[in-house]
Amino acid sequence: MRHNLRRRPSNFGTRWCPASCARLGKLFRRLEHIEAEGLENYVIPLAIRLQFEFASRRSEIVTLQWEWVDLDNRRVVWPDSKTGGMSKPINEQAYRLLSTVPRHEGIPYVLPSSRHPGKHLTTDEYYNGWSCALKAAGATHVGTHGIRQRSTTDIADSGIPVKVGMALTAHKTVAMFMRYVHTG
């Protein structure tokens, strides 16, 4: 069954639009600079990259645990999320990121908090790091949910079937998936 891919215009609210997408390159160059120079804790750039790769919610990224990551089978299985349990494939970029990130003994989280030993990265830590990265890159401020919307749009624009896109983003309905898809 084919679905009508009517999309909201990109100026609907505070989302990544083609003009701000040009700044995405600046953002990723900034992340590379942070990683190369060790300017900040590796966790924030990694969290940002993983959220783009998995088209996930912020809460799913900051709570990600190593026991949910299956690098051999290239899958991540979240036992519980906003819409229940879900499984997503690990693409090449996410595989590279996850296979090279340091693991800390006794800490189950992929993204440990720098302020709260033994705990996962907090949503505030992530949001503050995201805001600083955007500012340093000269990009328009967009909340972290904008990452999910940008990724969903990229998935829809790739030409894969809507049902596959829904599985990749963990949207339960076509209507909700399409709310996240934006064009210029």
Side-chain angles (χ1 to χ4, degrees):
M1 177 178 178
R2 285 230 167 265
H3 297 283
N4 182 0
L5 294 180
R6 286 184 316 139
R7 302 179 189 158
R8 292 180 182 197
S10 62
N11 62 355
F12 187 86
T14 54
R15 294 173 171 88
W16 292 106
C17 62
S20 61
C21 285
R23 294 193 181 106
L24 275 178
K26 280 183 162 181
L27 173 64
F28 282 108
R29 284 190 295 283
R30 177 66 186 157
L31 294 177
E32 288 167 5
H33 178 69
I34 289 169
E35 293 162 338
E37 301 294 324
L39 298 176
E40 296 176 25
N41 184 336
Y42 73 91
V43 172
I44 297 300
L46 177 63
I48 293 168
R49 290 182 186 279
L50 288 175
Q51 190 175 7
F52 271 106
E53 294 305 320
F54 287 116
S56 296
R57 297 169 185 91
R58 175 175 54 185
S59 62
E60 295 161 356
I61 292 299
V62 299
T63 61
L64 183 60
Q65 294 186 30
W66 284 114
E67 69 180 86
W68 305 344
V69 177
D70 182 351
L71 289 174
D72 293 335
N73 293 309
R74 295 188 178 225
R75 297 219 57 89
V76 175
V77 178
W78 281 266
D80 191 27
S81 72
K82 181 179 175 184
T83 56
M86 67 177 169
S87 174
K88 292 186 178 185
I90 298 174
N91 66 21
E92 283 301 318
Q93 177 69 359
Y95 181 84
R96 185 188 65 75
L97 292 167
L98 290 168
S99 63
T100 59
V101 67
R103 292 186 186 208
H104 304 284
E105 191 169 327
I107 299 177
Y109 302 105
V110 174
L111 302 163
S113 171
S114 60
R115 289 191 284 172
H116 307 285
K119 305 282 186 187
H120 62 74
L121 181 69
T122 67
T123 55
D124 285 343
E125 288 172 305
Y126 179 39
Y127 187 81
N128 290 337
W130 165 248
S131 295
C132 288
L134 284 176
K135 185 175 181 178
T140 305
H141 181 78
V142 173
T144 57
H145 206 66
I147 297 172
R148 185 163 158 78
Q149 292 161 342
R150 175 74 255 157
S151 296
T152 302
T153 298
D154 291 344
I155 288 167
D157 288 346
S158 73
I160 63 172
V162 170
K163 291 290 186 180
V164 174
M166 290 170 56
L168 292 172
T169 60
H171 285 112
K172 299 289 185 189
T173 66
V174 172
M176 186 56 70
F177 177 76
M178 295 314 301
R179 281 188 64 187
Y180 280 69
V181 177
H182 305 279
T183 59

